[in-house]
């Protein structure tokens, strides 16, 4: 198969894989928590009264009996984990018996303690209000069995190991079951209050340090990201932080030793269905925050209004030994500000590249107005070089090869026809720019990006085909060879596919989180570029077709010579103007995108 075909198949297969869901986090396969029955949701379980009930159709049983167990509730739940345990186990995790399902679509069996079918869970996060299963008493059943269930209403609202009914073998005197669960400790929290009014950027650079995006924006604007910090007077033993951003989801900031995510001290303001939670966490690597808590935070207050979420809190400069290992604020750090989607208190990956301060800031240092950028310089270079290659040099180079071969027949440049030399020069420059730009993201990411979707695969195809083109050109047959037409069609086909893939990669590239250009403005600019280029191609194709038809339909030798003379004048004056207009238009659209890259 040809290289072009391989790249096309790669593109299609990657595109299909990209759109297929990668897997569900709510699939109920939670055998690893059989012992604790506690979900790994990074928030503590509820300690209030549960709205759910676990019941059986009998209070006594015999070995090998089949007992109906029903989980029901006055409100929906999205997940659950149900087990039967030896009620006299004195704290040991000993499952008893197995289960049989009555609804294979919504429930599934799990293996706990190496015993198949000893637990039941959900198959998806589809909401339900009742689950009915059958418990099968084993031949060596314990004398008393108690059922336990963990129920998840949604991600951050769940009840762990709710005790259910105890059933006894016939003839056994009921005894109070041994406690199989220790109530979760109630963690001390800081009760947040409502801000009396919105905070503003007043005092930035004078009484507090501020980081704003865009620069000079108003924190009451939903499109403004704002972070400020000021030491508390008079003892300067604590720092007051203010954070604001779009209300949908969460807004967070981090203290970091470098400009890379990982090993950072993070503070989050999360919109949880109209209520605001403020917490601190640690991030190790490119992962979700860990060890979330309000420990160490005080004077917490928030405001949610007019599409803006605002949070204010205080934190000691130095944490005590009993507090979590938060960063010492009497140090210099890079500041990160990020936002993204949140659902039921769970934060998702930030929707765009975080805003990163241009230099380290001494948190307790003098007030200043900080500058930040969302676009790493190396990624800005990648985008700029790729746009230059395929919006100007590559575009103009292929246009010349398509429509300017017959022009300037008596003019040469370095021993070759003018059109060929200009085409070859522009395309070699395009390949060079593409090659340089291709490797920049690898230097930035230190490897392959797992979150860039189809874009990097398209880039690989574009680079591969770009390198193949000059190799094919170097071994092309002579002009009088019968294989020259095959080469011409192949060269044109590979070039056309390369240009189409490059344009597709540009459309995807301007939406990458590491170089997110203003939307939908940037997309409209690219659409304008495609329409601009297509209009010139259609115009010259129509002219060439009409001229050839007119020339072939004329039997008058004098008329043919006249038409050729007219075509010569057209090629000498009008077509160079069209080429100049195309190049200038492409340059203008290119400059518009480059200016937006510079402002990120």
């Amino acid at each position: 198969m040809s290289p072009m075909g391989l790249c096309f198949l790669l593109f299609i297969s990657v595109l299909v894989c990209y759109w297929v869901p990668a897997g569900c986090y709510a699939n109920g396969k939670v055998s690893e928590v059989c012992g604790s029955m506690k979900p790994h949701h990074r928030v503590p379980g509820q300690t209030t009264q549960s709205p759910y009930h676990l019941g059986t159709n009998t209070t006594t049983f015999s070995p090998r009996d089949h007992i109906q167990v029903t989980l029901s509730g006055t409100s929906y739940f999205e997940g659950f984990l149900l087990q039967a345990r030896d009620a006299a186990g004195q704290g040991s995790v000993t499952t008893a018996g197995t289960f049989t399902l009555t609804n294979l679509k919504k429930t599934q069996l799990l293996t706990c303690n190496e015993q198949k079918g000893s637990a039941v869970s959900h198959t998806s996060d589809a909401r339900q209000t009742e689950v009915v299963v059958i418990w099968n008493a084993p031949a060596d059943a314990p004398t008393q069995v108690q059922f336990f269930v963990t129920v998840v209403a949604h991600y951050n609202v769940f009840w762990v190991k709710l005790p259910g009914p105890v059933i006894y073998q016939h003839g056994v005197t009921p005894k109070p079951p041994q406690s199989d669960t220790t109530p979760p400790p109630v963690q001390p929290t800081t009760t947040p209050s409502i801000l009396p009014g919105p905070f503003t950027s007043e005092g930035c650079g004078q009484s507090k340090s501020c980081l704003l995006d865009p620069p000079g924006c108003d924190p009451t604007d939903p499109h403004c990201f704002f972070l400020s910090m000021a030491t508390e007077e008079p003892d300067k033993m604590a720092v007051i932080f203010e954070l604001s951003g779009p209300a949908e989801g969460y807004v967070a900031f981090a203290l970091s030793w470098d400009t890379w995510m990982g090993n950072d001290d993070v503070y989050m303001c999360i919109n949880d269905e109209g209520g605001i939670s403020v917490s601190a966490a640690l991030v190790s690597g490119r992962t979700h925050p860990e060890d979330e808590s309000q420990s160490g935070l005080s004077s917490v207050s928030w405001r949610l209004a007019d599409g803006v979420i605002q949070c204010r809190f205080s934190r000691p400069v130095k944490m005590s030994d009993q507090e979590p290992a938060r960063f010492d604020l009497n140090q210099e750090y890079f500041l990160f500000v990020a936002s993204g989607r949140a659902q039921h208190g769970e934060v998702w990956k930030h929707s765009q590249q975080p805003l990163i301060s241009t230099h380290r800031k001494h948190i307790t240092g003098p007030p200043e107005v900080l500058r930040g950028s969302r676009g790493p310089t190396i990624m800005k270079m990648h985008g700029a070089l790729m746009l230059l290659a395929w919006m100007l040099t590559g575009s103009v180079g292929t246009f010349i090869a398509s429509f300017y071969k017959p022009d300037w027949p008596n003019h040469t440049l370095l021993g070759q026809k003018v059109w060929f030399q200009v085409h070859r020069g522009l395309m070699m420059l395009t390949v060079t720019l593409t090659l340089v730009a291709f490797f920049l993201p690898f230097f930035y990411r230190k490897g392959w990006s797992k979150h860039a979707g189809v874009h990097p695969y398209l880039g690989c195809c574009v680079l591969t085909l770009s390198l193949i083109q000059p190799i094919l050109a170097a071994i092309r047959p002579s002009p009088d060879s019968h294989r020259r037409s095959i080469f011409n069609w192949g060269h044109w086909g590979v070039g056309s596919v390369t240009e189409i893939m490059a344009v597709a990669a540009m459309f995807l590239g301007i939406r990458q989180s590491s170089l997110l250009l203003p939307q939908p403005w940037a997309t409209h600019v690219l659409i304008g570029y495609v329409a601009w280029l297509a209009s010139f191609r259609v115009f010259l194709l129509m002219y060439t077709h009409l001229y050839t038809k007119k020339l072939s339909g004329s039997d008058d030798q004098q008329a043919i010579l006249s038409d050729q003379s007219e075509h010569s004048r057209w090629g000498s004056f009008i077509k160079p103007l069209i080429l100049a207009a195309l190049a200038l238009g492409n340059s203008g659209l290119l400059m518009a995108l480059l200016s937006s890259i510079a402002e990120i």
Side-chain angles (χ1 to χ4, degrees), residues 316-333:
V317 173
K318 294 182 181 292
M319 303 292 283
S320 64
D321 294 338
Q322 289 74 30
E323 301 287 356
R326 305 289 172 207
F327 286 8
D328 182 353
L329 298 185
N330 197 24
Q331 297 285 344
E332 292 184 347
Y333 303 103

PDB file of all heavy atoms in Angstrom, residues 316-333:
ATOM      1  N   PRO A 316      -2.269  30.338  57.188  1.00  0.00           N
ATOM      2  CA  PRO A 316      -1.032  30.719  57.874  1.00  0.00           C
ATOM      3  C   PRO A 316       0.171  30.679  56.932  1.00  0.00           C
ATOM      4  O   PRO A 316       0.234  29.849  56.014  1.00  0.00           O
ATOM      5  CB  PRO A 316      -0.895  29.666  58.984  1.00  0.00           C
ATOM      6  CG  PRO A 316      -2.264  29.113  59.179  1.00  0.00           C
ATOM      7  CD  PRO A 316      -2.934  29.181  57.832  1.00  0.00           C
ATOM      8  N   VAL A 317       1.116  31.555  57.176  1.00  0.00           N
ATOM      9  CA  VAL A 317       2.334  31.561  56.362  1.00  0.00           C
ATOM     10  C   VAL A 317       3.078  30.243  56.542  1.00  0.00           C
ATOM     11  O   VAL A 317       3.540  29.637  55.577  1.00  0.00           O
ATOM     12  CB  VAL A 317       3.228  32.754  56.757  1.00  0.00           C
ATOM     13  CG1 VAL A 317       4.578  32.665  56.036  1.00  0.00           C
ATOM     14  CG2 VAL A 317       2.540  34.067  56.417  1.00  0.00           C
ATOM     15  N   LYS A 318       3.171  29.782  57.773  1.00  0.00           N
ATOM     16  CA  LYS A 318       3.812  28.494  58.071  1.00  0.00           C
ATOM     17  C   LYS A 318       2.790  27.606  58.763  1.00  0.00           C
ATOM     18  O   LYS A 318       2.161  28.023  59.729  1.00  0.00           O
ATOM     19  CB  LYS A 318       5.052  28.680  58.956  1.00  0.00           C
ATOM     20  CG  LYS A 318       6.195  29.438  58.288  1.00  0.00           C
ATOM     21  CD  LYS A 318       7.382  29.527  59.218  1.00  0.00           C
ATOM     22  CE  LYS A 318       8.528  30.301  58.582  1.00  0.00           C
ATOM     23  NZ  LYS A 318       9.114  29.576  57.446  1.00  0.00           N
ATOM     24  N   MET A 319       2.636  26.399  58.258  1.00  0.00           N
ATOM     25  CA  MET A 319       1.678  25.464  58.840  1.00  0.00           C
ATOM     26  C   MET A 319       2.316  24.756  60.028  1.00  0.00           C
ATOM     27  O   MET A 319       3.541  24.516  60.053  1.00  0.00           O
ATOM     28  CB  MET A 319       1.230  24.445  57.795  1.00  0.00           C
ATOM     29  CG  MET A 319       0.627  25.065  56.539  1.00  0.00           C
ATOM     30  SD  MET A 319      -0.957  25.865  56.816  1.00  0.00           S
ATOM     31  CE  MET A 319      -2.028  24.436  56.898  1.00  0.00           C
ATOM     32  N   SER A 320       1.504  24.376  60.999  1.00  0.00           N
ATOM     33  CA  SER A 320       2.010  23.639  62.164  1.00  0.00           C
ATOM     34  C   SER A 320       2.324  22.204  61.769  1.00  0.00           C
ATOM     35  O   SER A 320       1.918  21.713  60.708  1.00  0.00           O
ATOM     36  CB  SER A 320       0.969  23.662  63.283  1.00  0.00           C
ATOM     37  OG  SER A 320      -0.208  22.967  62.882  1.00  0.00           O
ATOM     38  N   ASP A 321       3.025  21.510  62.649  1.00  0.00           N
ATOM     39  CA  ASP A 321       3.418  20.133  62.352  1.00  0.00           C
ATOM     40  C   ASP A 321       2.212  19.218  62.249  1.00  0.00           C
ATOM     41  O   ASP A 321       2.256  18.179  61.583  1.00  0.00           O
ATOM     42  CB  ASP A 321       4.360  19.616  63.448  1.00  0.00           C
ATOM     43  CG  ASP A 321       5.683  20.366  63.456  1.00  0.00           C
ATOM     44  OD1 ASP A 321       6.026  20.941  62.401  1.00  0.00           O
ATOM     45  OD2 ASP A 321       6.351  20.375  64.499  1.00  0.00           O
ATOM     46  N   GLN A 322       1.097  19.580  62.907  1.00  0.00           N
ATOM     47  CA  GLN A 322      -0.089  18.738  62.861  1.00  0.00           C
ATOM     48  C   GLN A 322      -0.897  18.954  61.590  1.00  0.00           C
ATOM     49  O   GLN A 322      -1.771  18.153  61.257  1.00  0.00           O
ATOM     50  CB  GLN A 322      -0.997  19.022  64.076  1.00  0.00           C
ATOM     51  CG  GLN A 322      -0.442  18.520  65.393  1.00  0.00           C
ATOM     52  CD  GLN A 322       0.705  19.385  65.909  1.00  0.00           C
ATOM     53  OE1 GLN A 322       0.737  20.588  65.642  1.00  0.00           O
ATOM     54  NE2 GLN A 322       1.634  18.771  66.626  1.00  0.00           N
ATOM     55  N   GLU A 323      -0.643  20.032  60.868  1.00  0.00           N
ATOM     56  CA  GLU A 323      -1.391  20.342  59.664  1.00  0.00           C
ATOM     57  C   GLU A 323      -0.781  19.620  58.464  1.00  0.00           C
ATOM     58  O   GLU A 323       0.367  19.158  58.517  1.00  0.00           O
ATOM     59  CB  GLU A 323      -1.391  21.852  59.410  1.00  0.00           C
ATOM     60  CG  GLU A 323      -1.993  22.668  60.541  1.00  0.00           C
ATOM     61  CD  GLU A 323      -3.495  22.537  60.614  1.00  0.00           C
ATOM     62  OE1 GLU A 323      -4.080  21.877  59.735  1.00  0.00           O
ATOM     63  OE2 GLU A 323      -4.088  23.071  61.566  1.00  0.00           O
ATOM     64  N   PRO A 324      -1.535  19.502  57.348  1.00  0.00           N
ATOM     65  CA  PRO A 324      -0.976  18.880  56.141  1.00  0.00           C
ATOM     66  C   PRO A 324       0.266  19.617  55.641  1.00  0.00           C
ATOM     67  O   PRO A 324       0.495  20.781  55.981  1.00  0.00           O
ATOM     68  CB  PRO A 324      -2.131  19.011  55.139  1.00  0.00           C
ATOM     69  CG  PRO A 324      -3.360  19.144  55.965  1.00  0.00           C
ATOM     70  CD  PRO A 324      -2.949  19.888  57.203  1.00  0.00           C
ATOM     71  N   ALA A 325       1.052  18.938  54.826  1.00  0.00           N
ATOM     72  CA  ALA A 325       2.336  19.481  54.363  1.00  0.00           C
ATOM     73  C   ALA A 325       2.118  20.528  53.284  1.00  0.00           C
ATOM     74  O   ALA A 325       2.446  20.311  52.113  1.00  0.00           O
ATOM     75  CB  ALA A 325       3.228  18.355  53.861  1.00  0.00           C
ATOM     76  N   ARG A 326       1.537  21.666  53.669  1.00  0.00           N
ATOM     77  CA  ARG A 326       1.354  22.763  52.720  1.00  0.00           C
ATOM     78  C   ARG A 326       2.652  23.537  52.558  1.00  0.00           C
ATOM     79  O   ARG A 326       3.550  23.487  53.397  1.00  0.00           O
ATOM     80  CB  ARG A 326       0.239  23.706  53.204  1.00  0.00           C
ATOM     81  CG  ARG A 326      -1.077  23.018  53.467  1.00  0.00           C
ATOM     82  CD  ARG A 326      -1.724  22.584  52.179  1.00  0.00           C
ATOM     83  NE  ARG A 326      -2.895  21.755  52.441  1.00  0.00           N
ATOM     84  CZ  ARG A 326      -3.356  20.847  51.627  1.00  0.00           C
ATOM     85  NH1 ARG A 326      -2.738  20.615  50.487  1.00  0.00           N
ATOM     86  NH2 ARG A 326      -4.420  20.144  51.919  1.00  0.00           N
ATOM     87  N   PHE A 327       2.738  24.269  51.444  1.00  0.00           N
ATOM     88  CA  PHE A 327       3.949  25.019  51.158  1.00  0.00           C
ATOM     89  C   PHE A 327       4.100  26.186  52.132  1.00  0.00           C
ATOM     90  O   PHE A 327       3.112  26.797  52.571  1.00  0.00           O
ATOM     91  CB  PHE A 327       3.916  25.558  49.733  1.00  0.00           C
ATOM     92  CG  PHE A 327       4.153  24.512  48.670  1.00  0.00           C
ATOM     93  CD1 PHE A 327       4.207  23.178  48.986  1.00  0.00           C
ATOM     94  CD2 PHE A 327       4.341  24.888  47.350  1.00  0.00           C
ATOM     95  CE1 PHE A 327       4.429  22.219  48.009  1.00  0.00           C
ATOM     96  CE2 PHE A 327       4.564  23.948  46.365  1.00  0.00           C
ATOM     97  CZ  PHE A 327       4.609  22.604  46.699  1.00  0.00           C
ATOM     98  N   ASP A 328       5.345  26.507  52.437  1.00  0.00           N
ATOM     99  CA  ASP A 328       5.672  27.687  53.225  1.00  0.00           C
ATOM    100  C   ASP A 328       5.452  28.919  52.348  1.00  0.00           C
ATOM    101  O   ASP A 328       6.036  29.043  51.265  1.00  0.00           O
ATOM    102  CB  ASP A 328       7.134  27.584  53.674  1.00  0.00           C
ATOM    103  CG  ASP A 328       7.561  28.747  54.557  1.00  0.00           C
ATOM    104  OD1 ASP A 328       6.771  29.703  54.724  1.00  0.00           O
ATOM    105  OD2 ASP A 328       8.694  28.700  55.059  1.00  0.00           O
ATOM    106  N   LEU A 329       4.618  29.847  52.794  1.00  0.00           N
ATOM    107  CA  LEU A 329       4.294  31.018  51.971  1.00  0.00           C
ATOM    108  C   LEU A 329       5.387  32.071  51.990  1.00  0.00           C
ATOM    109  O   LEU A 329       5.307  33.045  51.235  1.00  0.00           O
ATOM    110  CB  LEU A 329       2.971  31.635  52.436  1.00  0.00           C
ATOM    111  CG  LEU A 329       1.738  30.723  52.320  1.00  0.00           C
ATOM    112  CD1 LEU A 329       0.479  31.484  52.699  1.00  0.00           C
ATOM    113  CD2 LEU A 329       1.619  30.155  50.915  1.00  0.00           C
ATOM    114  N   ASN A 330       6.376  31.887  52.824  1.00  0.00           N
ATOM    115  CA  ASN A 330       7.491  32.834  52.840  1.00  0.00           C
ATOM    116  C   ASN A 330       8.564  32.399  51.836  1.00  0.00           C
ATOM    117  O   ASN A 330       9.755  32.398  52.131  1.00  0.00           O
ATOM    118  CB  ASN A 330       8.078  32.915  54.255  1.00  0.00           C
ATOM    119  CG  ASN A 330       8.949  34.146  54.446  1.00  0.00           C
ATOM    120  OD1 ASN A 330       8.790  35.150  53.748  1.00  0.00           O
ATOM    121  ND2 ASN A 330       9.883  34.064  55.376  1.00  0.00           N
ATOM    122  N   GLN A 331       8.091  32.001  50.639  1.00  0.00           N
ATOM    123  CA  GLN A 331       8.961  31.522  49.574  1.00  0.00           C
ATOM    124  C   GLN A 331       8.466  32.080  48.239  1.00  0.00           C
ATOM    125  O   GLN A 331       7.386  32.684  48.157  1.00  0.00           O
ATOM    126  CB  GLN A 331       8.967  29.988  49.515  1.00  0.00           C
ATOM    127  CG  GLN A 331       9.512  29.306  50.753  1.00  0.00           C
ATOM    128  CD  GLN A 331      11.016  29.382  50.862  1.00  0.00           C
ATOM    129  OE1 GLN A 331      11.701  29.677  49.891  1.00  0.00           O
ATOM    130  NE2 GLN A 331      11.545  29.147  52.063  1.00  0.00           N
ATOM    131  N   GLU A 332       9.249  31.852  47.192  1.00  0.00           N
ATOM    132  CA  GLU A 332       8.866  32.282  45.846  1.00  0.00           C
ATOM    133  C   GLU A 332       8.312  31.095  45.065  1.00  0.00           C
ATOM    134  O   GLU A 332       8.914  30.018  45.059  1.00  0.00           O
ATOM    135  CB  GLU A 332      10.063  32.873  45.097  1.00  0.00           C
ATOM    136  CG  GLU A 332      10.563  34.184  45.657  1.00  0.00           C
ATOM    137  CD  GLU A 332      11.681  34.768  44.815  1.00  0.00           C
ATOM    138  OE1 GLU A 332      12.225  34.030  43.955  1.00  0.00           O
ATOM    139  OE2 GLU A 332      12.013  35.951  44.998  1.00  0.00           O
ATOM    140  N   TYR A 333       7.170  31.300  44.395  1.00  0.00           N
ATOM    141  CA  TYR A 333       6.540  30.242  43.611  1.00  0.00           C
ATOM    142  C   TYR A 333       5.977  30.823  42.312  1.00  0.00           C
ATOM    143  O   TYR A 333       5.627  32.015  42.243  1.00  0.00           O
ATOM    144  CB  TYR A 333       5.376  29.605  44.386  1.00  0.00           C
ATOM    145  CG  TYR A 333       5.751  29.036  45.726  1.00  0.00           C
ATOM    146  CD1 TYR A 333       5.431  29.722  46.892  1.00  0.00           C
ATOM    147  CD2 TYR A 333       6.405  27.808  45.838  1.00  0.00           C
ATOM    148  CE1 TYR A 333       5.759  29.201  48.136  1.00  0.00           C
ATOM    149  CE2 TYR A 333       6.741  27.289  47.068  1.00  0.00           C
ATOM    150  CZ  TYR A 333       6.418  27.991  48.224  1.00  0.00           C
ATOM    151  OH  TYR A 333       6.751  27.477  49.444  1.00  0.00           O
TER     152      TYR A 333
END
